[in-house]
Amino acid sequence: MCRKLSISLLVLLLASFSLWAFPGRATGSPAARPTDTLAQEALAEALKTGSGTQEEIISIELPASSAVQEATAKAEAGKRLTSEEVSAILAELDAAKADYAALEATSKSKDAAIDSLARENSRLKDESGTKAYIMLDGIMGFADMAPEYGIGLTIGTRLGNSLMLELGADYMIGGTWQDAMDFSLDDFTFRCGIGWMF
């Protein structure tokens, strides 16, 4: 009686594990499922998506192994299982574990890809939108065919993704040391500008 109960619990554990973890998994031995390769190729082809399309979740229901179904029915009826039936159940359990490991690895790789895309999206979001900037300019001009030098400072901002506003001031130092020592408001030039980034 104890042996029948333990075998029944083993079969029930196998059935619940398969139903709980792998609702669309192909089961059975390779001889019992000759279309698995075609189904896997069809699933892989269906999951390929072009840019801008949303990937759909597809599940393919394949029949369970007949040996496992017979063993389950036999155990439910309270009959003793043969060693071949127990081996088939254990092989099914091993296949379920292998499928679980493969699904877990796939899930981890997809999680890593999602995290990478989220970081990239955050970085791009930080680079777009309103941003301020500052610019220091060096200026050179001529007066009476002699070079004159100056400096400039520009402060600006990009509003949104395209509109740009800036304010600037230039100061002409002059061409000689004496010109640099003579500070005058006449040497200042002020600028403001508006622009559009394409």
Side-chain angles (χ1 to χ4, degrees), residues 78-137:
K79 296 180 181 177
R80 181 176 290 184
L81 297 176
T82 65
S83 61
E84 291 83 11
E85 291 169 333
V86 172
S87 297
I89 291 172
L90 291 175
E92 183 72 16
L93 186 57
D94 289 340
K97 287 180 181 176
D99 285 349
Y100 177 76
L103 286 173
E104 190 174 26
T106 303
S107 175
K108 285 181 180 176
S109 67
K110 286 185 178 180
D111 287 345
I114 289 170
D115 290 342
S116 173
L117 289 173
R119 285 192 300 270
E120 180 71 12
N121 187 32
S122 175
R123 185 184 66 81
L124 291 175
K125 200 177 280 187
D126 289 342
E127 288 188 3
S128 64
T130 301
K131 277 199 153 188
Y133 63 92
I134 186 167
M135 198 166 27
L136 186 63
D137 303 315

Side-chain angles (χ1 to χ4, degrees), residues 3-186:
R3 183 175 172 156
K4 286 182 183 179
L5 181 62
S6 64
I7 291 175
S8 296
L9 288 175
L10 177 66
V11 171
L12 181 62
L13 175 67
L14 173 65
S16 64
F17 183 71
S18 296
L19 290 175
W20 174 65
F22 309 105
R25 185 179 60 78
T27 58
S29 64
R33 46 180 179 163
T35 59
D36 278 0
T37 306
L38 296 174
Q40 289 174 357
E41 290 174 359
L43 178 61
E45 190 65 33
L47 290 178
K48 288 182 182 174
T49 57
S51 63
T53 62
Q54 187 175 12
E55 184 174 319
E56 298 178 1
I57 298 173
I58 299 173
S59 65
I60 298 177
E61 297 289 339
L62 295 173
S65 168
S66 59
V68 174
Q69 288 177 346
E70 289 173 11
T72 305
K74 203 173 183 183
E76 287 175 355
K79 296 180 181 177
R80 181 176 290 184
L81 297 176
T82 65
S83 61
E84 291 83 11
E85 291 169 333
V86 172
S87 297
I89 291 172
L90 291 175
E92 183 72 16
L93 186 57
D94 289 340
K97 287 180 181 176
D99 285 349
Y100 177 76
L103 286 173
E104 190 174 26
T106 303
S107 175
K108 285 181 180 176
S109 67
K110 286 185 178 180
D111 287 345
I114 289 170
D115 290 342
S116 173
L117 289 173
R119 285 192 300 270
E120 180 71 12
N121 187 32
S122 175
R123 185 184 66 81
L124 291 175
K125 200 177 280 187
D126 289 342
E127 288 188 3
S128 64
T130 301
K131 277 199 153 188
Y133 63 92
I134 186 167
M135 198 166 27
L136 186 63
D137 303 315
I139 304 168
M140 183 178 140
F142 292 94
D144 298 328
M145 301 299 291
E148 288 190 336
Y149 304 97
I151 58 171
L153 179 68
T154 304
I155 298 173
T157 184
R158 180 181 67 196
L159 299 174
N161 287 334
S162 303
L163 183 64
M164 299 179 69
L165 300 173
E166 69 176 30
L167 296 171
D170 298 331
Y171 180 74
M172 294 305 293
I173 298 171
T176 64
W177 183 254
Q178 183 62 38
D179 292 340
M181 298 305 289
D182 293 337
F183 179 80
S184 173
L185 284 176
D186 294 336

